[in-house]
Amino acid sequence: MKHGLRLAGTVEYGSPSAPFNHKRTELLIKQGDIMLQDGIDRRAVGDHWMGERPSTSDSLPVIDTICDDKIVLAFGHQHLGLTQAAITADLVSQLIANQPTSINVAPFTLRRFS
């Protein structure tokens, strides 16, 4: 990475107004220090960051069309976005082309929440 290594990957369920939990940052640094051959130079540790990651209530992505199929939705993959990107791209291209999808997308419809 251009600006160095980024350690990330924990999820904490809490109020959006909850204060930053520095224990999670320390855990990542500790684990990274164990995993990396040369360890982590604590003098080089950059900014700590925390942000909201909206999620669907059932943890499944939304893959659907709305507005008479003029808008395609593909979001909510949680931490699996990179893993699921290829199949989602295939499904989106099939939806755009108004072709049958390679898998049943009914479980991923936005309407499941209404």
Side-chain angles (χ1 to χ4, degrees), residues 8-11 53 55 76-83:
T10 64
V11 175
R53 296 193 77 160
S55 299
H77 292 76
Q78 319 306 330
H79 289 278
L80 301 173
L82 186 60
T83 305

Side-chain angles (χ1 to χ4, degrees), residues 30-77:
K30 180 180 177 182
Q31 292 299 312
D33 199 40
I34 293 168
M35 291 183 345
L36 299 171
Q37 182 176 356
D38 294 331
I40 291 180
D41 180 355
R42 293 218 174 224
R43 296 168 294 159
V45 172
D47 295 332
H48 298 174
W49 179 87
M50 179 182 84
E52 297 175 32
R53 296 193 77 160
S55 299
T56 57
S57 57
D58 60 5
S59 299
L60 295 174
V62 172
I63 303 171
D64 199 358
T65 60
I66 58 172
C67 299
D68 297 323
D69 298 336
K70 292 180 181 147
I71 298 175
V72 177
L73 306 174
F75 64 89
H77 292 76

